[in-house]
């Protein structure tokens, strides 16, 4: 995870003060990238503890295509509580809805982009259209939070699969470690279903930023040396990506430093 640490240091040293929607204030850079070799281990940050159950359950929630946080609450995951309607748990047509039930209009037949993606990977792996988008312009106003990770593209070569994600807004201390692990997990799930080997993960950032109330925590992280990465193990019998449960996903040998708490800017 040296690439993440390098970017954290760069934003801390070179980021420019910038006002933001939440009123907290950030130090920001624009147009950065992280390249990760998935063959070296599962990229879950070790310089602080990151809650893997939240990452796994959130991704499974996306794949379920739900527009409320009922599944997350049932599994003790609270990371979307700040954006959900306090009475109904409704968050609007976010990632899961767009990934699995994309509609440009109310009368249009929904498109399951994930199902379509996997079918195309199997039958046309060299396609340049192996792409899933969450940025549905016509529905942004109905979303409690417009997508931060806007789209991802898959690349298949010589039995290996890579994923590149574009993220318009990237909370470097709290959000990006989740995003890295989430898209790494998604790449592993797709690879498993398509009988491919996970290869590379690339995250491309628009506005990548440290909130002003996260600077002390970032400084602490930079004093910690990264430890060996954990390993991911998936249940072999699962052959449909929508059939994965949390129990089918095992994280092995994760030994991070202690957790660093920080406030979420909503």
């Amino acid at each position: 995870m040296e690439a993440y640490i390098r970017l954290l240091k760069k934003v801390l040293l070179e980021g420019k003060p910038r006002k933001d929607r939440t009123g907290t204030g950030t130090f920001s850079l624009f147009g950065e990238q992280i390249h990760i070799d998935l063959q070296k281990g599962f990229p879950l940050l070790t310089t602080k503890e990151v809650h893997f159950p939240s990452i796994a359950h959130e991704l499974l929630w996306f794949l379920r295509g739900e527009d409320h946080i009922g599944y997350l609450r049932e599994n003790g995951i609270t990371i979307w509580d700040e954006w959900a309607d306090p009475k109904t748990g409704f968050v609007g047509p976010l990632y899961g809805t767009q990934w699995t039930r994309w509609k440009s209009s109310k009368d249009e037949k929904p498109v399951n982009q994930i199902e379509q993606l996997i079918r195309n990977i199997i039958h046309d792996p060299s396609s340049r259209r192996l792409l899933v988008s969450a940025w549905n312009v016509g529905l942004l106003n109905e979303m409690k939070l417009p997508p931060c990770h806007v789209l991802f593209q898959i690349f298949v070569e010589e039995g290996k699969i890579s994923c590149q994600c574009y993220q318009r807004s990237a909370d470097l201390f709290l959000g990006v470690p989740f995003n890295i692990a989430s898209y790494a997990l998604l790449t592993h799930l797709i690879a498993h279903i398509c009988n491919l080997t996970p290869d590379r993960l690339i995250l491309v950032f628009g506005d990548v930023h440290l909130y002003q109330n996260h600077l002390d925590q970032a400084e602490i992280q930079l004093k910690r040396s990264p430890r060996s990465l954990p390993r991911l193990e998936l249940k072999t019998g699962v052959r449909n990506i929508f059939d994965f449960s949390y129990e089918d996903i095992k994280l092995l040998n994760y030994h991070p430093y202690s957790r660093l708490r920080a406030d979420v800017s909503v």
Side-chain angles (χ1 to χ4, degrees):
M1 292 295 285
E2 290 81 3
Y4 171 82
I5 297 299
R6 286 195 299 270
L7 182 57
L8 185 67
K9 184 176 183 179
K10 183 176 182 179
V11 174
L12 194 61
L13 293 176
E14 302 177 18
K16 303 299 181 184
R18 190 174 178 88
K19 296 179 181 179
D20 76 290
R21 172 187 55 80
T22 71
T24 306
T26 66
F27 289 90
S28 302
L29 293 176
F30 185 74
E32 299 293 330
Q33 291 188 6
I34 287 179
H35 289 249
I36 296 169
D37 186 348
L38 295 177
Q39 298 187 52
K40 291 184 176 181
F42 187 77
L44 189 63
L45 200 64
T46 60
T47 49
K48 67 170 183 177
E49 183 183 358
V50 182
H51 193 238
F52 183 72
S54 292
I55 294 166
H57 277 299
E58 182 193 50
L59 179 60
L60 294 174
W61 178 57
F62 292 163
L63 292 172
R64 289 166 67 97
E66 296 182 358
D67 56 10
H68 57 84
I69 62 171
Y71 167 83
L72 297 178
R73 285 178 172 171
E74 289 171 6
N75 289 280
I77 307 302
T78 62
I79 56 176
W80 277 92
D81 283 9
E82 288 87 353
W83 291 279
D85 184 286
K87 294 183 179 179
T88 65
F90 185 69
V91 293
L94 295 179
Y95 301 100
T97 303
Q98 302 311 318
W99 284 11
T100 65
R101 300 196 314 277
W102 175 285
K103 293 175 69 175
S104 298
S105 66
K106 292 183 179 180
D107 297 328
E108 185 181 3
K109 182 180 179 181
V111 176
N112 189 324
Q113 294 189 83
I114 298 295
E115 186 178 80
Q116 188 177 73
L117 173 71
I118 290 177
R119 183 170 61 248
N120 289 338
I121 289 172
I122 293 172
H123 296 290
D124 189 11
S126 62
S127 173
R128 295 186 292 269
R129 301 178 183 181
L130 304 177
L131 189 146
V132 171
S133 175
W135 194 259
N136 192 334
V137 177
L139 296 180
L140 292 180
N141 290 336
E142 298 181 25
M143 303 178 189
K144 295 294 185 179
L145 179 69
C148 293
H149 37 105
V150 175
L151 61 85
F152 67 91
Q153 183 175 0
I154 296 297
F155 185 82
V156 180
E157 185 177 37
E158 297 179 348
K160 298 178 181 180
I161 182 172
S162 297
C163 176
Q164 179 166 277
C165 171
Y166 179 76
Q167 194 162 338
R168 65 168 181 87
S169 175
D171 172 355
L172 189 54
F173 182 76
L174 284 179
V176 170
F178 265 63
N179 303 138
I180 292 171
S182 181
Y183 276 94
L185 178 56
L186 178 61
T187 305
H188 274 269
L189 296 186
I190 295 173
H192 179 87
I193 297 302
C194 299
N195 295 314
L196 298 167
T197 300
D199 189 15
R200 293 177 296 144
L201 175 65
I202 304 102
L203 281 87
V204 182
F205 303 115
D207 185 323
V208 56
H209 48 269
L210 278 169
Y211 282 101
Q212 292 188 9
N213 57 353
H214 294 171
L215 301 183
D216 291 343
Q217 294 92 325
E219 291 278 10
I220 293 172
Q221 267 199 269
L222 291 176
K223 295 177 182 178
R224 297 174 171 180
S225 299
R227 295 172 174 171
S228 298
L229 293 177
R231 184 170 61 86
L232 189 74
E233 187 176 276
L234 301 177
K235 185 176 180 180
T236 57
V238 182
R239 301 315 309 163
N240 187 315
I241 196 168
F242 303 109
D243 291 340
F244 274 106
S245 67
Y246 180 74
E247 291 70 28
D248 299 324
I249 302 168
K250 302 295 183 184
L251 184 72
L252 306 175
N253 301 321
Y254 183 48
H255 305 294
Y257 288 80
S258 60
R259 185 173 300 182
L260 293 173
R261 298 189 180 279
D263 292 331
V264 177
S265 293
V266 180

